[in-house]
Amino acid sequence: MTQFTTEFHGYDRAEVDKFVQTANDDIASDEPSRKARAQAEAQAVSFRVVLRGYSRREVDHYLRRIAKGRPDDRT
């Protein structure tokens, strides 16, 4: 599971964790439609900003990687 830094005002951790789990499962799937769905959802998803949430910068970077179909790519 991807780890994100917690910050004072960040994305809701439960929302992000749920999305990341589903997206990772879809990207790892052999079904092209699941991969495509994960990529599309990564471009459209939004999360609530809460106290003690995940770093918005780190999560946004991760979403860009998911949208490209490369969640583990660090670039």
Side-chain angles (χ1 to χ4, degrees), residues 15-32:
E15 290 178 5
V16 173
D17 288 342
K18 182 178 178 182
F19 178 83
V20 168
Q21 181 63 51
T22 301
N24 283 341
D25 291 347
D26 288 345
I27 291 291
S29 171
D30 291 331
E31 297 176 41

PDB file of all heavy atoms in Angstrom, residues 15-32:
ATOM      1  N   GLU A  15     -10.934   8.287   2.623  1.00  0.00           N
ATOM      2  CA  GLU A  15     -11.322   8.395   1.209  1.00  0.00           C
ATOM      3  C   GLU A  15     -10.161   8.014   0.302  1.00  0.00           C
ATOM      4  O   GLU A  15     -10.331   7.290  -0.679  1.00  0.00           O
ATOM      5  CB  GLU A  15     -11.780   9.815   0.887  1.00  0.00           C
ATOM      6  CG  GLU A  15     -13.101  10.208   1.496  1.00  0.00           C
ATOM      7  CD  GLU A  15     -13.486  11.647   1.188  1.00  0.00           C
ATOM      8  OE1 GLU A  15     -12.766  12.328   0.424  1.00  0.00           O
ATOM      9  OE2 GLU A  15     -14.520  12.100   1.728  1.00  0.00           O
ATOM     10  N   VAL A  16      -8.986   8.534   0.622  1.00  0.00           N
ATOM     11  CA  VAL A  16      -7.803   8.249  -0.200  1.00  0.00           C
ATOM     12  C   VAL A  16      -7.460   6.764  -0.133  1.00  0.00           C
ATOM     13  O   VAL A  16      -7.214   6.126  -1.163  1.00  0.00           O
ATOM     14  CB  VAL A  16      -6.598   9.111   0.233  1.00  0.00           C
ATOM     15  CG1 VAL A  16      -5.330   8.677  -0.503  1.00  0.00           C
ATOM     16  CG2 VAL A  16      -6.884  10.587  -0.005  1.00  0.00           C
ATOM     17  N   ASP A  17      -7.442   6.195   1.073  1.00  0.00           N
ATOM     18  CA  ASP A  17      -7.105   4.780   1.221  1.00  0.00           C
ATOM     19  C   ASP A  17      -8.045   3.896   0.412  1.00  0.00           C
ATOM     20  O   ASP A  17      -7.610   2.949  -0.255  1.00  0.00           O
ATOM     21  CB  ASP A  17      -7.138   4.359   2.695  1.00  0.00           C
ATOM     22  CG  ASP A  17      -5.971   4.909   3.492  1.00  0.00           C
ATOM     23  OD1 ASP A  17      -4.957   5.327   2.886  1.00  0.00           O
ATOM     24  OD2 ASP A  17      -6.079   4.916   4.740  1.00  0.00           O
ATOM     25  N   LYS A  18      -9.340   4.189   0.460  1.00  0.00           N
ATOM     26  CA  LYS A  18     -10.321   3.399  -0.287  1.00  0.00           C
ATOM     27  C   LYS A  18     -10.074   3.507  -1.786  1.00  0.00           C
ATOM     28  O   LYS A  18     -10.079   2.508  -2.503  1.00  0.00           O
ATOM     29  CB  LYS A  18     -11.733   3.868   0.059  1.00  0.00           C
ATOM     30  CG  LYS A  18     -12.818   3.084  -0.629  1.00  0.00           C
ATOM     31  CD  LYS A  18     -14.195   3.563  -0.214  1.00  0.00           C
ATOM     32  CE  LYS A  18     -15.278   2.800  -0.958  1.00  0.00           C
ATOM     33  NZ  LYS A  18     -16.613   3.262  -0.610  1.00  0.00           N
ATOM     34  N   PHE A  19      -9.844   4.746  -2.255  1.00  0.00           N
ATOM     35  CA  PHE A  19      -9.593   4.940  -3.678  1.00  0.00           C
ATOM     36  C   PHE A  19      -8.320   4.219  -4.113  1.00  0.00           C
ATOM     37  O   PHE A  19      -8.301   3.538  -5.148  1.00  0.00           O
ATOM     38  CB  PHE A  19      -9.482   6.425  -4.028  1.00  0.00           C
ATOM     39  CG  PHE A  19      -9.168   6.639  -5.477  1.00  0.00           C
ATOM     40  CD1 PHE A  19     -10.173   6.635  -6.421  1.00  0.00           C
ATOM     41  CD2 PHE A  19      -7.858   6.783  -5.899  1.00  0.00           C
ATOM     42  CE1 PHE A  19      -9.880   6.781  -7.777  1.00  0.00           C
ATOM     43  CE2 PHE A  19      -7.555   6.936  -7.241  1.00  0.00           C
ATOM     44  CZ  PHE A  19      -8.570   6.936  -8.181  1.00  0.00           C
ATOM     45  N   VAL A  20      -7.253   4.374  -3.352  1.00  0.00           N
ATOM     46  CA  VAL A  20      -5.963   3.782  -3.718  1.00  0.00           C
ATOM     47  C   VAL A  20      -6.065   2.259  -3.791  1.00  0.00           C
ATOM     48  O   VAL A  20      -5.542   1.645  -4.724  1.00  0.00           O
ATOM     49  CB  VAL A  20      -4.851   4.227  -2.741  1.00  0.00           C
ATOM     50  CG1 VAL A  20      -3.591   3.403  -2.911  1.00  0.00           C
ATOM     51  CG2 VAL A  20      -4.540   5.702  -2.943  1.00  0.00           C
ATOM     52  N   GLN A  21      -6.740   1.650  -2.839  1.00  0.00           N
ATOM     53  CA  GLN A  21      -6.886   0.187  -2.846  1.00  0.00           C
ATOM     54  C   GLN A  21      -7.602  -0.273  -4.116  1.00  0.00           C
ATOM     55  O   GLN A  21      -7.156  -1.186  -4.799  1.00  0.00           O
ATOM     56  CB  GLN A  21      -7.645  -0.285  -1.613  1.00  0.00           C
ATOM     57  CG  GLN A  21      -7.812  -1.796  -1.554  1.00  0.00           C
ATOM     58  CD  GLN A  21      -6.495  -2.520  -1.463  1.00  0.00           C
ATOM     59  OE1 GLN A  21      -5.665  -2.201  -0.622  1.00  0.00           O
ATOM     60  NE2 GLN A  21      -6.275  -3.498  -2.325  1.00  0.00           N
ATOM     61  N   THR A  22      -8.695   0.371  -4.432  1.00  0.00           N
ATOM     62  CA  THR A  22      -9.463   0.006  -5.622  1.00  0.00           C
ATOM     63  C   THR A  22      -8.655   0.260  -6.894  1.00  0.00           C
ATOM     64  O   THR A  22      -8.612  -0.584  -7.802  1.00  0.00           O
ATOM     65  CB  THR A  22     -10.788   0.793  -5.669  1.00  0.00           C
ATOM     66  OG1 THR A  22     -11.533   0.502  -4.493  1.00  0.00           O
ATOM     67  CG2 THR A  22     -11.611   0.430  -6.897  1.00  0.00           C
ATOM     68  N   ALA A  23      -8.017   1.421  -6.963  1.00  0.00           N
ATOM     69  CA  ALA A  23      -7.232   1.762  -8.159  1.00  0.00           C
ATOM     70  C   ALA A  23      -6.076   0.794  -8.357  1.00  0.00           C
ATOM     71  O   ALA A  23      -5.821   0.349  -9.486  1.00  0.00           O
ATOM     72  CB  ALA A  23      -6.719   3.192  -8.056  1.00  0.00           C
ATOM     73  N   ASN A  24      -5.372   0.449  -7.282  1.00  0.00           N
ATOM     74  CA  ASN A  24      -4.262  -0.500  -7.396  1.00  0.00           C
ATOM     75  C   ASN A  24      -4.749  -1.864  -7.874  1.00  0.00           C
ATOM     76  O   ASN A  24      -4.103  -2.500  -8.710  1.00  0.00           O
ATOM     77  CB  ASN A  24      -3.530  -0.637  -6.065  1.00  0.00           C
ATOM     78  CG  ASN A  24      -2.610   0.528  -5.791  1.00  0.00           C
ATOM     79  OD1 ASN A  24      -2.231   1.259  -6.687  1.00  0.00           O
ATOM     80  ND2 ASN A  24      -2.264   0.713  -4.541  1.00  0.00           N
ATOM     81  N   ASP A  25      -5.889  -2.317  -7.346  1.00  0.00           N
ATOM     82  CA  ASP A  25      -6.453  -3.594  -7.796  1.00  0.00           C
ATOM     83  C   ASP A  25      -6.805  -3.534  -9.276  1.00  0.00           C
ATOM     84  O   ASP A  25      -6.541  -4.480 -10.017  1.00  0.00           O
ATOM     85  CB  ASP A  25      -7.697  -3.953  -6.983  1.00  0.00           C
ATOM     86  CG  ASP A  25      -7.383  -4.318  -5.535  1.00  0.00           C
ATOM     87  OD1 ASP A  25      -6.195  -4.543  -5.207  1.00  0.00           O
ATOM     88  OD2 ASP A  25      -8.338  -4.357  -4.729  1.00  0.00           O
ATOM     89  N   ASP A  26      -7.403  -2.424  -9.703  1.00  0.00           N
ATOM     90  CA  ASP A  26      -7.789  -2.279 -11.106  1.00  0.00           C
ATOM     91  C   ASP A  26      -6.575  -2.206 -12.022  1.00  0.00           C
ATOM     92  O   ASP A  26      -6.558  -2.830 -13.087  1.00  0.00           O
ATOM     93  CB  ASP A  26      -8.675  -1.049 -11.301  1.00  0.00           C
ATOM     94  CG  ASP A  26     -10.076  -1.235 -10.736  1.00  0.00           C
ATOM     95  OD1 ASP A  26     -10.469  -2.390 -10.455  1.00  0.00           O
ATOM     96  OD2 ASP A  26     -10.780  -0.220 -10.575  1.00  0.00           O
ATOM     97  N   ILE A  27      -5.558  -1.460 -11.620  1.00  0.00           N
ATOM     98  CA  ILE A  27      -4.343  -1.340 -12.445  1.00  0.00           C
ATOM     99  C   ILE A  27      -3.628  -2.688 -12.551  1.00  0.00           C
ATOM    100  O   ILE A  27      -3.089  -3.034 -13.600  1.00  0.00           O
ATOM    101  CB  ILE A  27      -3.390  -0.258 -11.869  1.00  0.00           C
ATOM    102  CG1 ILE A  27      -3.997   1.130 -12.034  1.00  0.00           C
ATOM    103  CG2 ILE A  27      -2.001  -0.330 -12.487  1.00  0.00           C
ATOM    104  CD1 ILE A  27      -4.082   1.635 -13.465  1.00  0.00           C
ATOM    105  N   ALA A  28      -3.643  -3.471 -11.480  1.00  0.00           N
ATOM    106  CA  ALA A  28      -2.972  -4.780 -11.482  1.00  0.00           C
ATOM    107  C   ALA A  28      -3.760  -5.844 -12.237  1.00  0.00           C
ATOM    108  O   ALA A  28      -3.232  -6.914 -12.534  1.00  0.00           O
ATOM    109  CB  ALA A  28      -2.736  -5.234 -10.043  1.00  0.00           C
ATOM    110  N   SER A  29      -4.989  -5.549 -12.562  1.00  0.00           N
ATOM    111  CA  SER A  29      -5.857  -6.504 -13.243  1.00  0.00           C
ATOM    112  C   SER A  29      -5.378  -6.762 -14.670  1.00  0.00           C
ATOM    113  O   SER A  29      -4.736  -5.924 -15.300  1.00  0.00           O
ATOM    114  CB  SER A  29      -7.280  -5.951 -13.279  1.00  0.00           C
ATOM    115  OG  SER A  29      -8.095  -6.743 -14.107  1.00  0.00           O
ATOM    116  N   ASP A  30      -5.739  -7.918 -15.158  1.00  0.00           N
ATOM    117  CA  ASP A  30      -5.454  -8.251 -16.556  1.00  0.00           C
ATOM    118  C   ASP A  30      -6.546  -7.751 -17.496  1.00  0.00           C
ATOM    119  O   ASP A  30      -6.447  -7.918 -18.707  1.00  0.00           O
ATOM    120  CB  ASP A  30      -5.310  -9.775 -16.723  1.00  0.00           C
ATOM    121  CG  ASP A  30      -4.051 -10.306 -16.058  1.00  0.00           C
ATOM    122  OD1 ASP A  30      -3.058  -9.556 -15.958  1.00  0.00           O
ATOM    123  OD2 ASP A  30      -4.059 -11.479 -15.636  1.00  0.00           O
ATOM    124  N   GLU A  31      -7.589  -7.157 -16.924  1.00  0.00           N
ATOM    125  CA  GLU A  31      -8.705  -6.676 -17.730  1.00  0.00           C
ATOM    126  C   GLU A  31      -8.466  -5.219 -18.155  1.00  0.00           C
ATOM    127  O   GLU A  31      -8.394  -4.333 -17.307  1.00  0.00           O
ATOM    128  CB  GLU A  31     -10.005  -6.747 -16.930  1.00  0.00           C
ATOM    129  CG  GLU A  31     -10.407  -8.145 -16.545  1.00  0.00           C
ATOM    130  CD  GLU A  31     -11.645  -8.150 -15.683  1.00  0.00           C
ATOM    131  OE1 GLU A  31     -12.577  -7.359 -15.968  1.00  0.00           O
ATOM    132  OE2 GLU A  31     -11.675  -8.934 -14.725  1.00  0.00           O
ATOM    133  N   PRO A  32      -8.349  -4.972 -19.451  1.00  0.00           N
ATOM    134  CA  PRO A  32      -8.115  -3.611 -19.929  1.00  0.00           C
ATOM    135  C   PRO A  32      -9.181  -2.615 -19.479  1.00  0.00           C
ATOM    136  O   PRO A  32      -8.883  -1.451 -19.212  1.00  0.00           O
ATOM    137  CB  PRO A  32      -8.099  -3.752 -21.446  1.00  0.00           C
ATOM    138  CG  PRO A  32      -7.747  -5.179 -21.692  1.00  0.00           C
ATOM    139  CD  PRO A  32      -8.337  -5.947 -20.546  1.00  0.00           C
TER     140      PRO A  32
END
